[in-house]
Amino acid sequence: MAGGLVIRDAGASELSPEAAAMKNVSNTVAGLGLAADPSAVAAATANRSGARSSRDLARDAKTLIVSASIAGNDTAAEAKAKADQAAAEKAAQAKAKAEAAAKAKAEAKRRAIALAHRWVMPLSGYTLTSGFGFRWGKMHPAQDLACPVGTPVHALSSGKVIFAGWSNEGYGYMVKIQYWDGTVSWMAHNSRLLVSLGDRVVPGQTVSYSGSTGNSTGPHVHLEIHPGDGSAVAPRTWLAKRGVQL
Ligand SMILES: [Zn+2]
C-alpha cells in the first residue's frame, strides 16, 4: 500500500464519530500517499482501547464483593455487640429483680419470725399479789396474778403445750407451755383449759380461763417461768427483759 500506513479496519459500532472521521481521514491520507498524523492515529487507537475488558470488570466486581463482605461482617459484629449488650442488660435487670424478691422474702420471713417470737402479757387485767421468793418461810417460785374467775389466760409467745390437765401437786388445772426458746411457763389454778397436750400456740392465744382450783386461797393465776425447762426464775424480771412489764 502506498505510504505504508496500515490502520486496522474497525466496525463503525466500535468507533466514536470522531474516531470514524479520523479513520476516514487516515484512509484519505493513505490514499494520498502522505504520512498520517501520529497523534490522530493514537487518539483513534485509545478510543478503541477505552472500553474495559471483561476481565478488568470481573476483577473490579470481585473487589467490590470482597469489600461488601467485609462491610457485612462489620455490621454483623455490631449487631452481635448490640444483642450481647441487650442480653446483659436484661440479665442484670432479672438479677436485680430476683435480688429484690429475695430481699422482700427475707424481710417477710424476718417479720414473721419477729411476730412469732414476740412476748406478751399473760393477762390483760390483774393485781400483783405474791411474788417470786420466800413466803412464810417457804419458797414461792412464781408470780401470783389475782383476777376474776374466767379471765382469759394467754400464751406468752409461740410454743407447744407440754402439759394440760389436773395436777396432783396442788396446782389444780394447769397448762405448761414450752416456747420457741426452750423456756417453759406454768399457769396454774385454772377453772377451764382450752388446749391439749401437743397443741401449738401463738403469742397471746387464750389457753385457759383463770380460777381457784387446787391449793388456792382465792381466784388467781400462779405463773412460773422455767428457762430451758430447768429451775424457776422470777417471772417479772424475766419478762421485763423481753419487753413485758408485769
Ligand atoms: Zn402462786
Side-chain angles (χ1 to χ4, degrees):
M1 183 181 280
L5 179 69
V6 177
I7 294 180
R8 197 178 67 82
D9 194 28
S13 63
E14 289 181 87
L15 300 175
S16 65
E18 293 82 0
M22 186 57 72
K23 183 173 180 278
N24 291 334
V25 168
S26 295
N27 288 345
T28 306
V29 169
L32 292 171
L34 298 172
D37 178 359
S39 64
V41 176
T45 308
N47 192 277
R48 286 196 66 237
S49 64
R52 304 179 65 197
S53 73
S54 58
R55 187 183 291 173
D56 289 343
L57 288 173
R59 190 171 60 234
D60 289 353
K62 195 176 174 186
T63 305
L64 285 172
I65 289 164
V66 170
S67 300
S69 295
I70 291 166
N73 287 343
D74 287 350
T75 307
E78 281 171 22
K80 189 179 182 300
K82 277 185 183 175
D84 287 350
Q85 193 182 349
E89 282 170 9
K90 202 174 176 183
Q93 283 173 355
K95 193 185 173 192
K97 200 176 173 184
E99 282 173 353
K103 198 176 173 184
K105 195 178 174 183
E107 176 62 14
K109 190 179 178 183
R110 191 194 64 75
R111 284 186 191 172
I113 289 170
L115 204 64
H117 288 184
R118 76 191 192 280
W119 297 91
V120 300
M121 297 283 269
L123 302 166
S124 53
Y126 57 88
T127 301
L128 291 173
T129 49
S130 291
F132 183 88
F134 285 93
R135 181 175 63 174
W136 306 311
K138 192 187 169 195
M139 181 61 186
H140 179 244
Q143 176 63 54
D144 285 349
L145 306 161
C147 57
V149 171
T151 300
V153 179
H154 304 128
L156 302 175
S157 190
S158 293
K160 189 178 170 184
V161 176
I162 60 169
F163 179 86
W166 181 260
S167 160
N168 289 318
E169 287 126 26
Y171 295 101
Y173 286 110
M174 180 161 70
V175 176
K176 289 185 182 178
I177 299 167
Q178 183 150 39
Y179 300 100
W180 57 270
D181 70 341
T183 301
V184 176
S185 69
W186 296 13
M187 290 153 170
H189 310 304
N190 296 285
S191 59
R192 189 180 158 204
L193 305 179
L194 300 180
V195 291
S196 304
L197 180 66
D199 283 357
R200 294 275 174 186
V201 296
V202 296
Q205 182 176 332
T206 300
V207 295
S208 63
Y209 290 111
S210 68
S212 191
T213 57
N215 296 338
S216 171
T217 55
H220 77 287
V221 171
H222 169 98
L223 174 66
E224 291 191 21
I225 297 289
H226 297 253
D229 204 16
S231 300
V233 298
R236 292 184 71 195
T237 307
W238 191 89
L239 281 169
K241 287 176 183 170
R242 287 153 184 81
V244 178
Q245 307 295 332
L246 269 183

